Amino acid sequence: MKLLNILALLVPAVVAIWPQPMNYTNGTTVLWFNRDTVVTFNGTNVNTTLDGTGINNFPGFVSVQELALSIISSAVKRTFNTIFTENFVPLDFHANIGLFEPFNNESTSTNKIQQIDISTSSLDTDKVFKPLDGEADESYKLNVTIDGHVTITAVSTIGVLRALDTFTQLFYTHSTSSSAIYTNLAPVGIVDKPMFSHRGLNLDVARSWFPVSDILRTIDALAWNKFSRLHIHATDSQSWPVQILELNQLTGLGPYDPNKIYTNADLKLIQQYGQYRGVEIYLEVDMPGHTASIAKAYPGLIACYNQPDWQNYASEPPSGQLKLNDTGVPFILQVMFNDLLPQLWTYSSYFHMGGDEINANCYMLDSEIKSNDTSVLRPLLQNFFDHNLNLVQNKQLTPIVWEEMLIDWNLRLPSNVVVQTWRNDSSVKSVVSAGHKVIVGNFNYWYLDCGKGQWLNFDANAVAAYWPFNDYCSPTKNWRLMYSYDPLQGLTDQESNLVIGGEVSLWSELTDSQNLDTTLWPRASAAGEILWSGAKDPATGQNRTTINAGPRLAELRSRLIARGVRAEPVQMIFCTQGNGTTCSLHSLGGGGSGTSNQTFAVQGVNGNGLSGGGAVPAAGGGAVAGGIV
């Protein structure tokens, strides 16, 4: 057996596990894997029959332990389904596949996976399946002996799920037979746990509506990348696609059309599907800004609705914000929350209350306020927030708000309120300095919608000012840039303890069902590894290198494709059939281009791509450690 330094700065990882485990060892012995392999959980046999039952079946339960057993049983079936029917031949990673894969003697060989024994060391509580920060232990140990005995040990059911997702990455389909499945890595030893508990995707389903099947497929991909949360940005000014049975007018008029809505049954399915995969689903109802869609049903509750000069009153059309001094607003919100929040409590401990991009000018058109003075608006906004906070906390949910509530409006926030940042690293510093837990997501690095160009049209008078029609956050945040971001950069150890994790965000002005997968994957995977494994190589203290990450991410992409996720390429086959250094750049040398010979240690980018110096200021206040990225 050889110990692999999987965090080595310049040497590609031998095994393409994503995200990188904390500790890993492997050998080179071949083991074949058959469908009839016995699996046990805490000493009891688990059914692995690929009959379709138990994979997306969510019966009711009378105890947490029955739920845990059902989740693990379902996960084992999905694992077998993935390995035996959604695997791939790694032809794109080896110019001569015969030098990589073993001779196919699967039918006669005695070198096989003999048995898989899974165990948990403690009984789950309900907090395991809807945890606050630190309440779910996701650690696991995975061992494959040279004679084919597999053991998975974890503290919790969630740890077992993470181990099984790793286990699937050890196996390939043989090029001579789709039924011949092997690993050439035994013995394997993995000890693993995440660096951050909150590893999330923020998905906007209001600007563009996504079918439930798209959301379920996204949850699967999140689980395979060991993300722990899906933040659904459920409503916005453009549409209100969430069913509220007690507000029939809003349910009827809020969506783009009657078919573009998430019913209560849809919401339950999405949450259960996530629960069975270790992905906690939580909703955001953004307010008081981003609420113009409410005016379709209740026009009297919205100020500055749909103004022709919308840019003076909103970040994008249509303009419109909930009034802050109208008695009808708290009444409607109470009805709404009393309907919606009980549907969420079973599956999540969080609810996102929004609070971003409030435009003060909007309230100049409010007949009750007629002011954009923050000294006038702040106490009204505080009352608005306090009212909603009580409704959320009364339903035993922990509130999350956008950074503007604390930083721009200086509201009094209870200590348990989690703040989500998006603008820059200075915001992170401000939030932790105020003593709040923070979810990080600097848009200069982790916004997936950037670089698609403007979605607005321009008349002849505006063309010159906006040409070449870049969007607000161009350029595209490629996976290497996303991989270079360190959520803890510039923080002390004490401040870092308040960073519970981060999220990548996909705002959907130019994303719909047709390009959802390619917009998300595998770029989101890059942030997923940062959040699971950490940004720094502990051996060097620098950001880990893409020379190590690139081959592993390319193989993960092939696994995603095999599982039905339309992920974009990482590199062309010429590169992936080599190694991490085949298509790499260690310095910008002289020659015909006229560039100077300098170390390629990029610390940031500007709107034109790579800047000239060896240490470039990061965009928007972001900070990336030096070193080869």
Side-chain angles (χ1 to χ4, degrees), residues 325-361:
N325 202 25
D326 187 302
T327 57
V329 170
F331 173 76
I332 287 291
L333 294 182
Q334 183 165 347
V335 173
M336 179 192 303
F337 283 171
N338 286 342
D339 183 299
L340 179 63
L341 298 185
Q343 300 179 60
L344 311 179
W345 178 84
T346 301
Y347 303 100
S348 179
S349 291
Y350 291 106
F351 180 75
H352 202 306
M353 298 171 57
D356 65 321
E357 297 182 327
I358 300 170
N359 192 306
N361 290 337

mmCIF file of all heavy atoms in Angstrom, residues 325-361:
data_model
loop_
_atom_site.group_PDB
_atom_site.id
_atom_site.type_symbol
_atom_site.label_atom_id
_atom_site.label_comp_id
_atom_site.label_asym_id
_atom_site.label_seq_id
_atom_site.Cartn_x
_atom_site.Cartn_y
_atom_site.Cartn_z
ATOM 1 N N ASN A 325 -45.521 50.830 5.991
ATOM 2 C CA ASN A 325 -46.373 51.533 6.956
ATOM 3 C C ASN A 325 -47.839 51.313 6.636
ATOM 4 O O ASN A 325 -48.660 52.203 6.822
ATOM 5 C CB ASN A 325 -46.042 53.024 6.954
ATOM 6 C CG ASN A 325 -46.453 53.716 8.235
ATOM 7 O OD1 ASN A 325 -46.548 53.065 9.289
ATOM 8 N ND2 ASN A 325 -46.702 55.018 8.175
ATOM 9 N N ASP A 326 -48.151 50.124 6.129
ATOM 10 C CA ASP A 326 -49.527 49.780 5.754
ATOM 11 C C ASP A 326 -49.961 48.595 6.591
ATOM 12 O O ASP A 326 -49.304 47.547 6.605
ATOM 13 C CB ASP A 326 -49.589 49.445 4.266
ATOM 14 C CG ASP A 326 -51.009 49.241 3.760
ATOM 15 O OD1 ASP A 326 -51.711 48.367 4.304
ATOM 16 O OD2 ASP A 326 -51.404 49.949 2.808
ATOM 17 N N THR A 327 -51.071 48.706 7.287
ATOM 18 C CA THR A 327 -51.516 47.647 8.206
ATOM 19 C C THR A 327 -51.899 46.367 7.481
ATOM 20 O O THR A 327 -51.938 45.294 8.095
ATOM 21 C CB THR A 327 -52.708 48.134 9.038
ATOM 22 O OG1 THR A 327 -53.766 48.549 8.154
ATOM 23 C CG2 THR A 327 -52.316 49.303 9.933
ATOM 24 N N GLY A 328 -52.176 46.472 6.177
ATOM 25 C CA GLY A 328 -52.517 45.265 5.426
ATOM 26 C C GLY A 328 -51.342 44.348 5.199
ATOM 27 O O GLY A 328 -51.519 43.132 5.023
ATOM 28 N N VAL A 329 -50.127 44.914 5.204
ATOM 29 C CA VAL A 329 -48.940 44.107 4.917
ATOM 30 C C VAL A 329 -48.689 43.072 6.014
ATOM 31 O O VAL A 329 -48.545 41.876 5.723
ATOM 32 C CB VAL A 329 -47.712 45.003 4.685
ATOM 33 C CG1 VAL A 329 -46.437 44.169 4.620
ATOM 34 C CG2 VAL A 329 -47.880 45.801 3.401
ATOM 35 N N PRO A 330 -48.599 43.450 7.288
ATOM 36 C CA PRO A 330 -48.356 42.418 8.312
ATOM 37 C C PRO A 330 -49.472 41.382 8.380
ATOM 38 O O PRO A 330 -49.214 40.214 8.693
ATOM 39 C CB PRO A 330 -48.240 43.213 9.616
ATOM 40 C CG PRO A 330 -48.805 44.553 9.323
ATOM 41 C CD PRO A 330 -48.593 44.801 7.882
ATOM 42 N N PHE A 331 -50.696 41.774 8.062
ATOM 43 C CA PHE A 331 -51.793 40.801 8.078
ATOM 44 C C PHE A 331 -51.582 39.742 6.999
ATOM 45 O O PHE A 331 -51.685 38.533 7.255
ATOM 46 C CB PHE A 331 -53.127 41.505 7.866
ATOM 47 C CG PHE A 331 -54.292 40.555 7.691
ATOM 48 C CD1 PHE A 331 -54.837 39.907 8.783
ATOM 49 C CD2 PHE A 331 -54.797 40.289 6.425
ATOM 50 C CE1 PHE A 331 -55.894 39.021 8.623
ATOM 51 C CE2 PHE A 331 -55.851 39.402 6.252
ATOM 52 C CZ PHE A 331 -56.402 38.763 7.351
ATOM 53 N N ILE A 332 -51.292 40.180 5.776
ATOM 54 C CA ILE A 332 -51.068 39.244 4.673
ATOM 55 C C ILE A 332 -49.857 38.356 4.958
ATOM 56 O O ILE A 332 -49.874 37.136 4.695
ATOM 57 C CB ILE A 332 -50.872 40.003 3.344
ATOM 58 C CG1 ILE A 332 -52.202 40.566 2.863
ATOM 59 C CG2 ILE A 332 -50.250 39.113 2.283
ATOM 60 C CD1 ILE A 332 -53.196 39.519 2.416
ATOM 61 N N LEU A 333 -48.795 38.942 5.497
ATOM 62 C CA LEU A 333 -47.591 38.152 5.775
ATOM 63 C C LEU A 333 -47.848 37.107 6.861
ATOM 64 O O LEU A 333 -47.302 35.999 6.804
ATOM 65 C CB LEU A 333 -46.437 39.066 6.176
ATOM 66 C CG LEU A 333 -45.925 40.002 5.072
ATOM 67 C CD1 LEU A 333 -44.739 40.816 5.572
ATOM 68 C CD2 LEU A 333 -45.535 39.216 3.820
ATOM 69 N N GLN A 334 -48.678 37.456 7.839
ATOM 70 C CA GLN A 334 -48.996 36.477 8.867
ATOM 71 C C GLN A 334 -49.777 35.302 8.280
ATOM 72 O O GLN A 334 -49.492 34.136 8.599
ATOM 73 C CB GLN A 334 -49.801 37.124 9.993
ATOM 74 C CG GLN A 334 -50.112 36.168 11.139
ATOM 75 C CD GLN A 334 -50.572 36.886 12.391
ATOM 76 O OE1 GLN A 334 -50.444 38.091 12.510
ATOM 77 N NE2 GLN A 334 -51.096 36.130 13.338
ATOM 78 N N VAL A 335 -50.734 35.598 7.415
ATOM 79 C CA VAL A 335 -51.469 34.520 6.752
ATOM 80 C C VAL A 335 -50.520 33.667 5.911
ATOM 81 O O VAL A 335 -50.575 32.430 5.934
ATOM 82 C CB VAL A 335 -52.593 35.113 5.868
ATOM 83 C CG1 VAL A 335 -53.258 34.019 5.039
ATOM 84 C CG2 VAL A 335 -53.631 35.825 6.729
ATOM 85 N N MET A 336 -49.649 34.337 5.188
ATOM 86 C CA MET A 336 -48.701 33.630 4.321
ATOM 87 C C MET A 336 -47.781 32.726 5.122
ATOM 88 O O MET A 336 -47.607 31.537 4.804
ATOM 89 C CB MET A 336 -47.868 34.649 3.545
ATOM 90 C CG MET A 336 -46.822 34.045 2.619
ATOM 91 S SD MET A 336 -45.673 35.301 2.029
ATOM 92 C CE MET A 336 -46.800 36.452 1.259
ATOM 93 N N PHE A 337 -47.160 33.254 6.158
ATOM 94 C CA PHE A 337 -46.210 32.472 6.944
ATOM 95 C C PHE A 337 -46.902 31.338 7.693
ATOM 96 O O PHE A 337 -46.335 30.257 7.834
ATOM 97 C CB PHE A 337 -45.458 33.367 7.910
ATOM 98 C CG PHE A 337 -44.372 34.198 7.272
ATOM 99 C CD1 PHE A 337 -43.723 35.188 7.971
ATOM 100 C CD2 PHE A 337 -43.993 33.985 5.960
ATOM 101 C CE1 PHE A 337 -42.719 35.958 7.398
ATOM 102 C CE2 PHE A 337 -42.995 34.731 5.359
ATOM 103 C CZ PHE A 337 -42.358 35.719 6.080
ATOM 104 N N ASN A 338 -48.115 31.575 8.185
ATOM 105 C CA ASN A 338 -48.833 30.515 8.881
ATOM 106 C C ASN A 338 -49.181 29.365 7.943
ATOM 107 O O ASN A 338 -49.331 28.217 8.381
ATOM 108 C CB ASN A 338 -50.104 31.065 9.528
ATOM 109 C CG ASN A 338 -49.809 31.887 10.767
ATOM 110 O OD1 ASN A 338 -48.727 31.795 11.339
ATOM 111 N ND2 ASN A 338 -50.771 32.703 11.178
ATOM 112 N N ASP A 339 -49.320 29.647 6.678
ATOM 113 C CA ASP A 339 -49.576 28.613 5.679
ATOM 114 C C ASP A 339 -48.295 27.908 5.266
ATOM 115 O O ASP A 339 -48.224 26.676 5.209
ATOM 116 C CB ASP A 339 -50.245 29.249 4.450
ATOM 117 C CG ASP A 339 -50.620 28.234 3.377
ATOM 118 O OD1 ASP A 339 -49.709 27.566 2.844
ATOM 119 O OD2 ASP A 339 -51.809 28.129 3.045
ATOM 120 N N LEU A 340 -47.237 28.693 4.983
ATOM 121 C CA LEU A 340 -46.021 28.146 4.384
ATOM 122 C C LEU A 340 -45.073 27.507 5.387
ATOM 123 O O LEU A 340 -44.550 26.398 5.157
ATOM 124 C CB LEU A 340 -45.292 29.263 3.622
ATOM 125 C CG LEU A 340 -43.971 28.889 2.941
ATOM 126 C CD1 LEU A 340 -44.193 27.832 1.864
ATOM 127 C CD2 LEU A 340 -43.312 30.132 2.355
ATOM 128 N N LEU A 341 -44.809 28.176 6.496
ATOM 129 C CA LEU A 341 -43.730 27.743 7.390
ATOM 130 C C LEU A 341 -43.950 26.356 8.006
ATOM 131 O O LEU A 341 -42.978 25.602 8.149
ATOM 132 C CB LEU A 341 -43.499 28.786 8.483
ATOM 133 C CG LEU A 341 -43.052 30.173 7.999
ATOM 134 C CD1 LEU A 341 -42.739 31.074 9.184
ATOM 135 C CD2 LEU A 341 -41.857 30.082 7.059
ATOM 136 N N PRO A 342 -45.184 25.973 8.372
ATOM 137 C CA PRO A 342 -45.354 24.615 8.901
ATOM 138 C C PRO A 342 -44.990 23.527 7.892
ATOM 139 O O PRO A 342 -44.651 22.407 8.285
ATOM 140 C CB PRO A 342 -46.845 24.564 9.248
ATOM 141 C CG PRO A 342 -47.225 25.983 9.521
ATOM 142 C CD PRO A 342 -46.413 26.786 8.540
ATOM 143 N N GLN A 343 -45.041 23.836 6.595
ATOM 144 C CA GLN A 343 -44.638 22.866 5.578
ATOM 145 C C GLN A 343 -43.119 22.670 5.550
ATOM 146 O O GLN A 343 -42.636 21.659 5.043
ATOM 147 C CB GLN A 343 -45.095 23.328 4.204
ATOM 148 C CG GLN A 343 -46.594 23.494 4.051
ATOM 149 C CD GLN A 343 -46.943 23.980 2.656
ATOM 150 O OE1 GLN A 343 -46.647 23.324 1.660
ATOM 151 N NE2 GLN A 343 -47.573 25.137 2.576
ATOM 152 N N LEU A 344 -42.390 23.643 6.076
ATOM 153 C CA LEU A 344 -40.932 23.623 6.006
ATOM 154 C C LEU A 344 -40.290 23.042 7.256
ATOM 155 O O LEU A 344 -39.193 22.479 7.186
ATOM 156 C CB LEU A 344 -40.402 25.045 5.787
ATOM 157 C CG LEU A 344 -41.055 25.863 4.660
ATOM 158 C CD1 LEU A 344 -40.430 27.241 4.587
ATOM 159 C CD2 LEU A 344 -40.936 25.136 3.333
ATOM 160 N N TRP A 345 -40.935 23.199 8.384
ATOM 161 C CA TRP A 345 -40.307 22.896 9.669
ATOM 162 C C TRP A 345 -39.872 21.439 9.779
ATOM 163 O O TRP A 345 -38.846 21.120 10.388
ATOM 164 C CB TRP A 345 -41.273 23.236 10.804
ATOM 165 C CG TRP A 345 -40.716 22.903 12.150
ATOM 166 C CD1 TRP A 345 -39.890 23.672 12.914
ATOM 167 C CD2 TRP A 345 -40.927 21.688 12.879
ATOM 168 N NE1 TRP A 345 -39.569 23.010 14.075
ATOM 169 C CE2 TRP A 345 -40.198 21.796 14.084
ATOM 170 C CE3 TRP A 345 -41.670 20.539 12.641
ATOM 171 C CZ2 TRP A 345 -40.187 20.787 15.037
ATOM 172 C CZ3 TRP A 345 -41.649 19.521 13.588
ATOM 173 C CH2 TRP A 345 -40.915 19.655 14.770
ATOM 174 N N THR A 346 -40.625 20.524 9.180
ATOM 175 C CA THR A 346 -40.295 19.105 9.279
ATOM 176 C C THR A 346 -38.948 18.780 8.641
ATOM 177 O O THR A 346 -38.253 17.854 9.062
ATOM 178 C CB THR A 346 -41.392 18.258 8.604
ATOM 179 O OG1 THR A 346 -42.636 18.522 9.254
ATOM 180 C CG2 THR A 346 -41.077 16.764 8.698
ATOM 181 N N TYR A 347 -38.561 19.569 7.648
ATOM 182 C CA TYR A 347 -37.398 19.227 6.824
ATOM 183 C C TYR A 347 -36.226 20.188 6.964
ATOM 184 O O TYR A 347 -35.143 19.889 6.463
ATOM 185 C CB TYR A 347 -37.818 19.161 5.358
ATOM 186 C CG TYR A 347 -38.941 18.179 5.112
ATOM 187 C CD1 TYR A 347 -40.257 18.622 4.991
ATOM 188 C CD2 TYR A 347 -38.687 16.818 5.040
ATOM 189 C CE1 TYR A 347 -41.288 17.719 4.783
ATOM 190 C CE2 TYR A 347 -39.713 15.906 4.836
ATOM 191 C CZ TYR A 347 -41.017 16.367 4.708
ATOM 192 O OH TYR A 347 -42.036 15.466 4.508
ATOM 193 N N SER A 348 -36.414 21.313 7.591
ATOM 194 C CA SER A 348 -35.324 22.287 7.694
ATOM 195 C C SER A 348 -35.407 23.045 9.003
ATOM 196 O O SER A 348 -36.483 23.196 9.592
ATOM 197 C CB SER A 348 -35.377 23.273 6.524
ATOM 198 O OG SER A 348 -34.326 24.227 6.630
ATOM 199 N N SER A 349 -34.259 23.541 9.438
ATOM 200 C CA SER A 349 -34.207 24.407 10.618
ATOM 201 C C SER A 349 -34.042 25.871 10.240
ATOM 202 O O SER A 349 -33.951 26.721 11.116
ATOM 203 C CB SER A 349 -33.049 23.975 11.526
ATOM 204 O OG SER A 349 -33.309 22.727 12.126
ATOM 205 N N TYR A 350 -33.985 26.171 8.939
ATOM 206 C CA TYR A 350 -33.726 27.531 8.480
ATOM 207 C C TYR A 350 -34.863 28.064 7.615
ATOM 208 O O TYR A 350 -35.568 27.307 6.936
ATOM 209 C CB TYR A 350 -32.433 27.590 7.653
ATOM 210 C CG TYR A 350 -31.169 27.361 8.440
ATOM 211 C CD1 TYR A 350 -30.470 26.155 8.334
ATOM 212 C CD2 TYR A 350 -30.649 28.342 9.278
ATOM 213 C CE1 TYR A 350 -29.293 25.939 9.041
ATOM 214 C CE2 TYR A 350 -29.479 28.136 9.989
ATOM 215 C CZ TYR A 350 -28.810 26.932 9.871
ATOM 216 O OH TYR A 350 -27.648 26.728 10.571
ATOM 217 N N PHE A 351 -35.013 29.379 7.641
ATOM 218 C CA PHE A 351 -35.871 30.086 6.691
ATOM 219 C C PHE A 351 -35.194 31.405 6.349
ATOM 220 O O PHE A 351 -34.752 32.136 7.235
ATOM 221 C CB PHE A 351 -37.262 30.361 7.259
ATOM 222 C CG PHE A 351 -38.155 31.088 6.296
ATOM 223 C CD1 PHE A 351 -38.712 30.431 5.211
ATOM 224 C CD2 PHE A 351 -38.449 32.435 6.478
ATOM 225 C CE1 PHE A 351 -39.529 31.101 4.311
ATOM 226 C CE2 PHE A 351 -39.259 33.114 5.588
ATOM 227 C CZ PHE A 351 -39.805 32.438 4.500
ATOM 228 N N HIS A 352 -35.097 31.683 5.047
ATOM 229 C CA HIS A 352 -34.410 32.885 4.582
ATOM 230 C C HIS A 352 -35.431 34.006 4.399
ATOM 231 O O HIS A 352 -36.370 33.880 3.616
ATOM 232 C CB HIS A 352 -33.694 32.589 3.266
ATOM 233 C CG HIS A 352 -32.558 33.524 2.965
ATOM 234 N ND1 HIS A 352 -32.697 34.903 2.949
ATOM 235 C CD2 HIS A 352 -31.251 33.282 2.663
ATOM 236 C CE1 HIS A 352 -31.535 35.453 2.639
ATOM 237 N NE2 HIS A 352 -30.643 34.495 2.472
ATOM 238 N N MET A 353 -35.225 35.114 5.118
ATOM 239 C CA MET A 353 -36.154 36.234 5.113
ATOM 240 C C MET A 353 -35.796 37.307 4.095
ATOM 241 O O MET A 353 -36.469 38.329 4.018
ATOM 242 C CB MET A 353 -36.222 36.853 6.517
ATOM 243 C CG MET A 353 -36.728 35.903 7.580
ATOM 244 S SD MET A 353 -36.557 36.549 9.265
ATOM 245 C CE MET A 353 -37.490 38.081 9.150
ATOM 246 N N GLY A 354 -34.727 37.091 3.321
ATOM 247 C CA GLY A 354 -34.372 38.055 2.278
ATOM 248 C C GLY A 354 -33.763 39.318 2.849
ATOM 249 O O GLY A 354 -32.946 39.288 3.759
ATOM 250 N N GLY A 355 -34.159 40.463 2.278
ATOM 251 C CA GLY A 355 -33.691 41.752 2.769
ATOM 252 C C GLY A 355 -32.642 42.430 1.926
ATOM 253 O O GLY A 355 -32.058 43.430 2.347
ATOM 254 N N ASP A 356 -32.391 41.945 0.717
ATOM 255 C CA ASP A 356 -31.354 42.557 -0.120
ATOM 256 C C ASP A 356 -31.949 43.629 -1.031
ATOM 257 O O ASP A 356 -33.134 43.645 -1.317
ATOM 258 C CB ASP A 356 -30.639 41.502 -0.953
ATOM 259 C CG ASP A 356 -31.559 40.831 -1.964
ATOM 260 O OD1 ASP A 356 -32.728 40.572 -1.616
ATOM 261 O OD2 ASP A 356 -31.115 40.561 -3.092
ATOM 262 N N GLU A 357 -31.084 44.513 -1.474
ATOM 263 C CA GLU A 357 -31.358 45.476 -2.544
ATOM 264 C C GLU A 357 -32.654 46.268 -2.335
ATOM 265 O O GLU A 357 -33.434 46.467 -3.266
ATOM 266 C CB GLU A 357 -31.378 44.765 -3.897
ATOM 267 C CG GLU A 357 -30.037 44.153 -4.264
ATOM 268 C CD GLU A 357 -30.021 43.480 -5.614
ATOM 269 O OE1 GLU A 357 -31.072 42.922 -6.019
ATOM 270 O OE2 GLU A 357 -28.965 43.500 -6.281
ATOM 271 N N ILE A 358 -32.863 46.734 -1.126
ATOM 272 C CA ILE A 358 -34.012 47.614 -0.871
ATOM 273 C C ILE A 358 -33.692 48.996 -1.434
ATOM 274 O O ILE A 358 -32.661 49.583 -1.104
ATOM 275 C CB ILE A 358 -34.314 47.699 0.639
ATOM 276 C CG1 ILE A 358 -34.639 46.308 1.190
ATOM 277 C CG2 ILE A 358 -35.454 48.675 0.905
ATOM 278 C CD1 ILE A 358 -34.709 46.269 2.705
ATOM 279 N N ASN A 359 -34.554 49.502 -2.276
ATOM 280 C CA ASN A 359 -34.342 50.790 -2.924
ATOM 281 C C ASN A 359 -35.126 51.865 -2.172
ATOM 282 O O ASN A 359 -36.357 51.868 -2.175
ATOM 283 C CB ASN A 359 -34.787 50.721 -4.386
ATOM 284 C CG ASN A 359 -34.328 51.923 -5.180
ATOM 285 O OD1 ASN A 359 -34.586 53.061 -4.802
ATOM 286 N ND2 ASN A 359 -33.662 51.672 -6.296
ATOM 287 N N ALA A 360 -34.395 52.769 -1.537
ATOM 288 C CA ALA A 360 -35.049 53.804 -0.723
ATOM 289 C C ALA A 360 -35.929 54.721 -1.561
ATOM 290 O O ALA A 360 -36.955 55.219 -1.080
ATOM 291 C CB ALA A 360 -33.995 54.608 0.031
ATOM 292 N N ASN A 361 -35.551 54.946 -2.819
ATOM 293 C CA ASN A 361 -36.338 55.842 -3.664
ATOM 294 C C ASN A 361 -37.769 55.362 -3.858
ATOM 295 O O ASN A 361 -38.680 56.165 -4.102
ATOM 296 C CB ASN A 361 -35.678 55.998 -5.031
ATOM 297 C CG ASN A 361 -34.396 56.788 -4.971
ATOM 298 O OD1 ASN A 361 -34.186 57.579 -4.048
ATOM 299 N ND2 ASN A 361 -33.518 56.579 -5.939
#
